[in-house]
Amino acid sequence: MDNYSQMLAFMWATEHGSFSAAGRAHGLTPSAVSKLITRLENRLQARLFQRGTRSLTLTEEGSAYLLSAREVINAMAEADSLAEAFPNRVSGSLRIHTMTTFAKHQILPWLPEFLSNYPGLTVDIQVGAQYVDTFDQGLDIAIHSGVLPDSSRVAKKIGESAWMTCASPAYLARRGTPSRPQDLLDHDCFNFGFASAWNNWRFSTPEGVVTIPIAPKAAFAQGDLLREMALGGAGIVRLAQFHIGEDLRAGRLVPLLTDFDLPEKEPLYLIYSNRKHLSPRIRVFRDFLENRLRESPWD
């Protein structure tokens, strides 16, 4: 057990970048984390970290040990999950990473019911526009759209979403409705503030597929900020249907240039680590999510 505690402390320090941050995250003092790792280094007779004044750097031996430690920690987690044989015994912490818009519009509405069904389970939702593989640092599930990088992870398609060009009725009443994709060049448009395929406004025309070179009036890091600009009547945006489906149905936003829409839709994936036996806490979340998406399609 002491060996396992030492290994956990090593993984935490690697994840958080310092003994103090690792201790704060897991209810230990920095000295307790330091002592565990020192005992580990003494046992292995190898220095695992280069200690800096503000951060830690893995040594060559530390990097090699990290690979083995991850396998052991994953195996322990898999073994522990066998105790979760029944839904009412699902417990532990479920760490999820997804897009801010998906978390807000597709998870938060039913999350209270899910937590009520599994009172022994806690959920930690981290958000970011782009997929980053942090499964080796304790991530359980990622939910992201688009083209994913090749990896050994399991990626299960759970849906697909079109990208919709839209604006509020107030904006269209003030500035007019574009009738051709090229008309967008004469309108106030908004885009994402980072390099992404989401910034490519592509349409199907008699001349073929065209990409309109949008010069955004403003750019934002989050899709919800784009949505707020559109709802406020500031201009035209292009957002995923899972994000603005309710706004379109309610008439708060109006779809534009639908005759020029491409038939393609962007796939949405649920991603988890490639384990032979899926943890019950991951399985119940996956099943709950899939049921909700079947009940409430955004299109």
Side-chain angles (χ1 to χ4, degrees):
M1 181 58 68
D2 187 56
N3 290 352
Y4 182 62
S5 298
Q6 295 167 14
M7 187 178 298
L8 277 177
F10 168 76
M11 294 291 292
W12 294 339
T14 301
E15 175 183 352
H16 295 284
S18 71
F19 294 159
S20 58
R24 285 194 302 270
H26 298 280
L28 298 174
T29 64
S31 62
V33 175
S34 178
K35 288 177 181 178
L36 285 168
I37 292 175
T38 297
R39 288 203 293 268
L40 175 61
E41 290 179 324
N42 290 340
R43 180 165 58 84
L44 298 176
Q45 296 185 345
R47 178 170 288 276
L48 302 177
F49 290 109
Q50 294 289 354
R51 275 84 160 166
T53 56
R54 295 187 178 180
S55 62
L56 300 170
T57 303
L58 285 172
T59 63
E60 183 178 351
E61 293 80 3
S63 296
Y65 183 72
L66 179 62
L67 298 176
S68 298
R70 285 170 177 164
E71 293 183 1
V72 173
I73 296 297
N74 285 339
M76 289 290 289
E78 185 175 310
D80 288 346
S81 72
L82 297 179
E84 303 172 358
F86 302 98
N88 62 355
R89 295 182 62 187
V90 173
S91 61
S93 179
L94 182 68
R95 294 180 62 185
I96 301 167
H97 189 281
T98 188
M99 301 162 287
T100 303
T101 51
F102 192 86
K104 178 179 178 180
H105 297 275
Q106 300 298 331
I107 294 180
L108 292 190
W110 54 259
L111 187 60
E113 180 184 350
F114 175 77
L115 294 174
S116 177
N117 288 351
Y118 303 99
L121 188 65
T122 61
V123 174
D124 176 7
I125 298 181
Q126 304 162 12
V127 295
Q130 297 172 309
Y131 168 64
V132 179
D133 188 327
T134 56
F135 287 95
D136 291 335
Q137 284 78 52
L139 186 69
D140 291 305
I141 291 174
I143 304 168
H144 280 272
S145 61
V147 179
L148 301 176
D150 292 335
S151 75
S152 61
R153 309 304 182 189
V154 177
K156 181 178 182 181
K157 184 178 175 181
I158 56 173
E160 56 185 15
S161 179
W163 279 76
M164 310 293 294
T165 307
C166 59
S168 71
Y171 174 84
L172 298 175
R174 187 174 76 252
R175 295 290 304 276
T177 301
S179 60
R180 304 176 306 146
Q182 291 80 0
D183 293 343
L184 293 170
L185 299 175
D186 297 322
H187 281 267
D188 295 336
C189 299
F190 302 99
N191 237 337
F192 291 93
F194 52 86
S196 172
W198 299 337
N199 286 336
N200 297 330
W201 296 38
R202 300 171 67 242
F203 299 92
S204 177
T205 71
E207 293 75 32
V209 176
V210 299
T211 300
I212 302 302
I214 297 298
K217 291 291 184 180
F220 301 90
Q222 293 185 357
D224 250 5
L225 299 178
L226 290 167
R227 172 177 173 265
E228 290 298 326
M229 292 295 289
L231 290 173
I236 299 175
V237 298
R238 187 171 173 84
L239 293 170
Q241 198 169 16
F242 73 75
H243 181 187
I244 55 171
E246 287 291 338
D247 296 317
L248 295 172
R249 283 192 289 272
R252 293 186 293 267
L253 293 176
V254 178
L256 304 174
L257 302 170
T258 54
D259 289 342
F260 300 91
D261 282 340
L262 293 170
E264 62 195 34
K265 293 185 177 183
E266 188 173 60
L268 185 70
Y269 295 102
L270 186 144
I271 308 151
Y272 46 89
S273 183
N274 189 12
R275 296 178 183 173
K276 184 177 180 181
H277 301 291
L278 193 64
S279 167
R281 65 182 182 274
I282 297 175
R283 185 167 58 249
V284 295
F285 181 88
R286 178 199 63 190
D287 294 346
F288 209 94
L289 172 63
E290 290 180 336
N291 286 335
R292 286 300 173 140
L293 294 186
R294 280 195 293 268
E295 294 170 3
S296 304
W298 41 75
D299 58 355

